[in-house]
C-alpha cells in the first residue's frame, strides 16, 4: 500500500520530477525492513512484484537496497545544507554489499 501511495504522489511532481518508474533502484527503509531477516524481505518483495495495483511495475527488474543502518533519512536532512556529506552517506549506503538484495524480473 505504501508503494501505491508513493506512486500516486509521484503524479504531483510533474514533468522533470522524480519518477519511480524510471528509477534503477528502490531503497526500502523503516523498521519493518531494517529488522527483517533477508528471507522475510525476499517474501515481501515477491508479493510486491505480483501486485497488480502498480507496485509490481515499479519493482520489476530493479535492484533493491534495504536501509538497515537507517541512513536514508539523514541523507535527506543533510542534502540542502551539506550536500557533500549527504552524497557521501548515500554512496556508503549504495556501496554496502550487505544491504543489497537483488530483485529478479518476476513479471
Amino acid at each position: 500500500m505504501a508503494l501505491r501511495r508513493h506512486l500516486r504522489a509521484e503524479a504531483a511532481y510533474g514533468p522533470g520530477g522524480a519518477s519511480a518508474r524510471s528509477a534503477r533502484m528502490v531503497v526500502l527503509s523503516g523498521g519493518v525492513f531494517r529488522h527483517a531477516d533477508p528471507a522475510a524481505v525476499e517474501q515481501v518483495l515477491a508479493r510486491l512484484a505480483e501486485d497488480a495495483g502498480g507496485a509490481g511495475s515499479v519493482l520489476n527488474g530493479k535492484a533493491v537496497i534495504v536501509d538497515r543502518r537507517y541512513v536514508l533519512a539523514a541523507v535527506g536532512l543533510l542534502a540542502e545544507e551539506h550536500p557533500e556529506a549527504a552524497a557521501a552517506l548515500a554512496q556508503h549506503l549504495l556501496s554496502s554489499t550487505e544491504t543489497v538484495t537483488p530483485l529478479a524480473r518476476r513479471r
Side-chain angles (χ1 to χ4, degrees):
M1 292 177 79
L3 283 174
R4 286 181 186 169
R5 278 196 303 271
H6 285 290
L7 289 173
R8 281 194 297 269
E10 175 186 316
Y13 297 146
S19 173
R21 294 186 192 281
S22 65
R24 295 178 301 183
M25 178 180 299
V26 174
V27 179
L28 301 174
S29 187
V32 69
F33 296 113
R34 278 184 34 200
H35 300 294
D37 62 62
V41 173
E42 284 295 329
Q43 288 177 343
V44 170
L45 291 174
R47 187 161 181 202
L48 288 172
E50 299 301 320
D51 179 65
S57 64
V58 171
L59 295 174
N60 194 17
K62 293 180 176 69
V64 176
I65 294 178
V66 178
D67 181 13
R68 294 199 185 276
R69 295 183 181 150
Y70 199 59
V71 298
L72 189 60
V75 169
L77 291 171
L78 289 169
E80 187 173 330
E81 292 186 33
H82 304 284
E84 297 85 11
L89 193 55
Q91 187 59 42
H92 180 71
L93 170 65
L94 297 176
S95 65
S96 177
T97 57
E98 70 181 346
T99 61
V100 176
T101 305
L103 180 65
R105 185 176 280 276
R106 292 195 170 120
R107 287 172 80 75

